[in-house]
Amino acid sequence: MADPLSRSPASPRSPAAGPPDPRQARVGSPAGEHLLRVTLACNQRCGFCNADGNAPDSCRGRVHVQAELSRVAAAGVTRVTFTGGEPTTLADLAELVGDARAAGMTWIGLQTNATMLGSRPGLARDLAGRGLRAAFVSLHAPEAALADALTVSPGGHALTVAGVRAAIDAGIAVNLNAVLCAPNAGGVDAHLRWTWREFGRDGGTRVLSVVAPVARAWENRHLIPRLSAVAAGLRAALPAAERLGMRVQIPALCGMPLCLLGGVERFADELHWPGAPPLVPARTYLASCSGCVHRARCSGIWKRYLTLYGPAEFVPVTRSP
């Protein structure tokens, strides 16, 4: 077998192209898409997980999932993403994907760590055959030791990489998500370059989330980095990734305020999503935010973050980028 690091970024499924427009092909939850939490169980134990095991929107068993699919289909929803926990721990996940298709879903996605796709031969093809279109895969570091430590999953990194390959080979569109926390936030450039060598354009959009001070992450608050330090790494890494041809995205609630992203705002969801930002009680604005050009589209700052590090990092932007 060839060294995976020697693979060309441009595969037959991924023709060469110029630098992408960062405003296009954004990953997220567009209007009409429903996130369906089919389990709270997970085969990893990430210290930064934003789920606390008590999500009120979780479904309990196939009958409940079928009922929820019928409910949202009647409301006109045609896109659904299965999330968790880790959905691939369910023995009947393929049947649930088939149920979604039977309910009228025209697009079916999966949020996953992909380890089961890597360890169960044929699972990715079975899911694709039932109608799975896309997988949003958590992959937090290029180094196996660091990734396995972050997920508390010895051997997990290798299985995730194998799972991504299995999904790609099955024709499932893959996008990769890294949660930036204190141990890995300084390696954004190396991480992006590694994913490019590994998967090229088949790795889809590289989403760079930032650990949120909620649930398990708040219990492990030593993992929460200063956002200004993370932003400095993003400013150094993202233009280079763009030149390689990568699509990179910083999500909204799982990202950081635009005031910290001077020079790379174009990669942020909040700069492009229409309408007002979501109102989250756990977030707030500073008095000085009223004078920021980004105020109308900013979803604010986590209150708990301010208790850790204070407000000094957040300086209003007075001129449009």
Side-chain angles (χ1 to χ4, degrees):
M1 180 180 295
D3 179 355
L5 293 181
S6 69
R7 293 180 58 180
S8 169
S11 73
R13 290 187 296 274
S14 305
D21 182 342
R23 296 170 295 181
Q24 302 300 317
R26 305 193 71 77
V27 176
S29 298
E33 180 177 348
H34 183 67
L35 292 177
L36 189 56
R37 194 178 304 276
V38 294
T39 183
L40 293 175
C42 188
N43 57 357
Q44 296 188 331
R45 183 71 181 171
C46 304
F48 48 74
C49 184
N50 62 8
D52 61 6
N54 296 301
D57 61 345
S58 61
C59 294
R60 304 291 183 178
R62 186 177 179 186
V63 172
H64 191 175
V65 172
Q66 290 172 328
E68 183 67 4
L69 287 168
S70 296
R71 184 187 71 80
V72 299
V77 172
T78 60
R79 297 168 60 97
V80 65
T81 291
F82 291 112
T83 186
E86 174 49 50
T88 61
T89 61
L90 296 177
D92 60 353
L93 179 60
E95 286 73 21
L96 297 181
V97 172
D99 290 339
R101 193 172 185 178
M105 299 298 129
T106 60
W107 187 95
I108 304 166
L110 174 69
Q111 293 183 356
T112 179
N113 59 40
T115 57
M116 298 294 282
L117 301 183
S119 63
R120 290 178 56 188
L123 177 59
R125 290 196 178 278
D126 190 13
L127 293 172
R130 304 292 183 109
L132 185 69
R133 296 277 301 277
F136 185 62
V137 179
S138 299
L139 183 55
H140 305 297
E143 307 92 351
L146 176 56
D148 290 354
L150 290 173
T151 60
V152 194
S153 174
H157 181 268
L159 289 175
T160 294
V161 171
V164 171
R165 294 198 189 288
I168 291 169
D169 290 344
I172 298 169
V174 170
N175 296 295
L176 302 175
N177 178 58
V179 176
L180 302 181
C181 54
N184 68 354
V188 174
D189 182 68
H191 177 77
L192 291 174
R193 291 179 184 275
W194 173 79
T195 67
W196 187 247
R197 294 193 301 271
E198 279 287 313
F199 310 114
R201 288 186 176 83
D202 289 334
T205 299
R206 276 65 166 182
V207 178
L208 299 174
S209 304
V210 180
V211 59
V214 298
R216 197 179 301 155
W218 188 242
E219 298 172 7
N220 298 293
R221 62 199 71 176
H222 62 280
L223 295 176
I224 301 172
R226 281 190 174 271
L227 293 180
S228 54
V230 178
L234 294 175
R235 283 192 294 271
L238 299 195
E242 186 178 38
R243 288 192 294 272
L244 284 174
M246 262 186 274
R247 294 194 306 268
V248 184
Q249 180 177 332
I250 303 168
L253 290 177
C254 293
M256 67 174 66
L258 287 165
C259 62
L260 293 171
L261 293 172
V264 292
E265 303 96 329
R266 64 190 181 277
F267 296 95
D269 277 348
E270 289 189 335
L271 192 67
H272 305 291
W273 282 4
L279 300 176
V280 178
R283 297 169 77 102
T284 189
Y285 300 93
L286 305 176
S288 58
C289 293
S290 61
C292 183
V293 298
H294 297 308
R295 173 62 179 82
R297 55 171 57 94
C298 178
S299 56
I301 308 163
W302 291 106
K303 294 176 182 177
R304 283 177 169 174
Y305 182 88
L306 293 172
T307 67
L308 284 179
Y309 295 120
E313 296 166 283
F314 305 99
V315 178
V317 178
T318 57
R319 294 185 179 182
S320 297

